[in-house]
Amino acid sequence: MSGRPRHATQDAATGLGDSDKTAAVEPITTTRDLAAACARLARHPFVTVDTEFLRETTYYPLLCVAQIASADEAIVVDALAPGIDLAPFFELMVDERVLKVFHAARQDIEIVWHMAGRIPHPVFDSQVAAMVLGFGDSISYDQLVQRVTGDNLDKSNRFTDWSRRPLSSAQLAYAVSDVTHLRDVYLALADDLARRGRSEWVGEEMEILTSPETYRVDPENAWQRLKTRVRKPKELAVLIEIAAWREREAQARDLPRGRVLRDEVLGDIAIQAPTSFERLSHVRSLPKGFERSRWGGDVIETVQRGLARDLKSLPPIDRQRPTSVNGATVELMKVLLRMTSEQHGVAAKVIATVDELEQIAADDAADVAALKGWRRDLFGEKALALKQGRLALSVERGRVIARERS
């Protein structure tokens, strides 16, 4: 794929048009200028968007810079400028007349959701589109730009401290370059999706990406993201409570979860269930003296709440492990998945996950994405047919072939 928008002449080294270069030097620092810029941007059918943020020391991401481009201009917004109100930016993000184009949009959308309580819409994620078009699993932005446009991005400012002021000219040029290249990428991907009849596939993914449920964090469900050794109902009960407590503490203090307690510590607490300061001091993965900290008593109370839970009301600890038969079925489905991915030019990861294959192997009516929508048409029906013996895999001339059994 190739193609550049015809709106302006671009510098080969930076990818910036003449108006873009000016914007890169002067970041927007006032609400008035931001409102004027967003009004101009809102007159276009699409804008490209990226954000620069920090979250190493916080629970919630700290938005430092937002960059936006239309066909005519590119702007950089200093989100930390004193007194600036980002309301015009948030309004643009929810303007239904304007498509917002991101790459790997989830964290960008999460920032808007946290700061404004609103979800950008409509959106287009170039990473998802690239997977649907066969660029591989979760392709990085710089790799996608290189493959679509042939340009090599300057990555020297990728890990810069975006909270420091003033922003350097190199930082500003980097920020603008991200969204100006994304214009080219979007136009090329959208054209290819339309030509191959896959625009609706991406649209289905955007419904999930723009659902508030994707971004709501319920402390009571925090345990589900953990990989632990718990095997007994009592251990699970404590794990649910201690994970919920950590989530609430991290949110209230705006700290990373690991700054409160590391994941492996939660598992140890769930298994050992310390109900006294002495027993808490024997949890070896805890920092020495933790039982005497402000959190020591909270942890003991939380463990006691877990132990008091009705074990019959708990969710299943773990999905039943596949039997050897199911395991073999899953391996065959992996072959079918790879064959389907190569045949149709769609990243295997976006078609089905290993977890989904395991669920299909155990249940024909599994509630998984691979058995819904375009995925079912492309792969799910064949996976069920393979499982039920109606489809056979064979190797012919070095290629895997799927044939219906007579």
Side-chain angles (χ1 to χ4, degrees), residues 150-340:
D151 293 334
N152 293 308
L153 295 181
D154 179 2
K155 297 179 285 186
S156 59
N157 281 279
R158 173 176 295 179
F159 300 111
T160 189
D161 183 352
W162 291 96
S163 67
R164 297 187 63 179
R165 296 295 181 269
L167 295 166
S168 69
S169 57
Q171 285 178 306
L172 294 168
Y174 171 90
V176 169
S177 179
D178 265 359
V179 286
T180 52
H181 279 94
L182 189 52
R183 295 183 301 208
D184 295 18
V185 168
Y186 164 68
L187 291 172
L189 295 182
D191 178 69
D192 201 9
L193 286 168
R195 182 168 51 83
R196 298 167 68 176
R198 297 182 180 180
S199 299
E200 291 186 3
W201 296 11
V202 175
E204 289 181 24
E205 299 307 296
M206 296 305 99
E207 290 180 12
I208 299 172
L209 195 61
T210 57
S211 169
E213 294 304 316
T214 301
Y215 304 94
R216 289 196 178 104
V217 179
D218 182 357
E220 296 303 315
N221 295 326
W223 67 276
Q224 295 176 349
R225 61 181 294 276
L226 301 172
K227 295 181 179 179
T228 69
R229 308 185 307 276
V230 298
R231 293 291 180 265
K232 302 176 182 178
K234 180 185 72 172
E235 296 171 353
L236 177 60
V238 175
L239 180 68
I240 291 173
E241 290 291 339
I242 195 66
W245 171 82
R246 182 184 70 166
E247 200 74 22
R248 288 190 291 267
E249 279 295 310
Q251 291 174 346
R253 299 178 183 276
D254 196 16
L255 290 172
R257 297 179 182 93
R259 291 282 185 92
V260 180
L261 286 177
R262 301 190 314 276
D263 286 0
E264 58 268 29
V265 176
L266 299 188
D268 290 345
I269 290 174
I271 293 171
Q272 297 181 40
T275 54
S276 67
F277 289 104
E278 180 182 0
R279 292 183 62 184
L280 186 62
S281 68
H282 294 161
V283 179
R284 296 181 60 183
S285 56
L286 279 172
K288 188 175 181 180
F290 177 87
E291 72 279 3
R292 297 190 299 273
S293 73
R294 65 177 182 272
W295 283 327
D298 292 343
V299 169
I300 292 172
E301 291 179 8
T302 301
V303 170
Q304 291 171 339
R305 283 199 305 273
L307 293 174
R309 290 185 67 134
D310 179 5
L311 301 184
K312 295 179 181 179
S313 67
L314 297 176
I317 291 180
D318 194 13
R319 186 175 63 256
Q320 186 176 1
R321 294 183 179 276
T323 64
S324 59
V325 174
N326 279 351
T329 302
V330 170
E331 292 305 315
L332 283 174
M333 286 186 184
K334 288 180 182 179
V335 176
L336 177 65
L337 176 61
R338 182 171 180 177
M339 183 199 77
T340 304

Side-chain angles (χ1 to χ4, degrees), residues 372-386:
K372 300 175 183 178
W374 64 268
R375 290 180 176 85
R376 186 180 185 105
D377 295 336
L378 196 72
F379 172 76
E381 288 289 353
K382 294 184 180 66
L384 291 174
L386 179 65

Side-chain angles (χ1 to χ4, degrees), residues 70-100:
S70 68
D72 292 341
E73 66 176 317
I75 67 169
V76 175
V77 183
D78 182 354
L80 300 181
I84 193 169
D85 184 348
L86 297 177
F89 168 67
F90 297 137
E91 287 300 323
L92 178 62
M93 292 300 97
V94 297
D95 189 332
E96 291 292 334
R97 300 167 299 178
V98 183
L99 178 69
K100 274 68 66 173

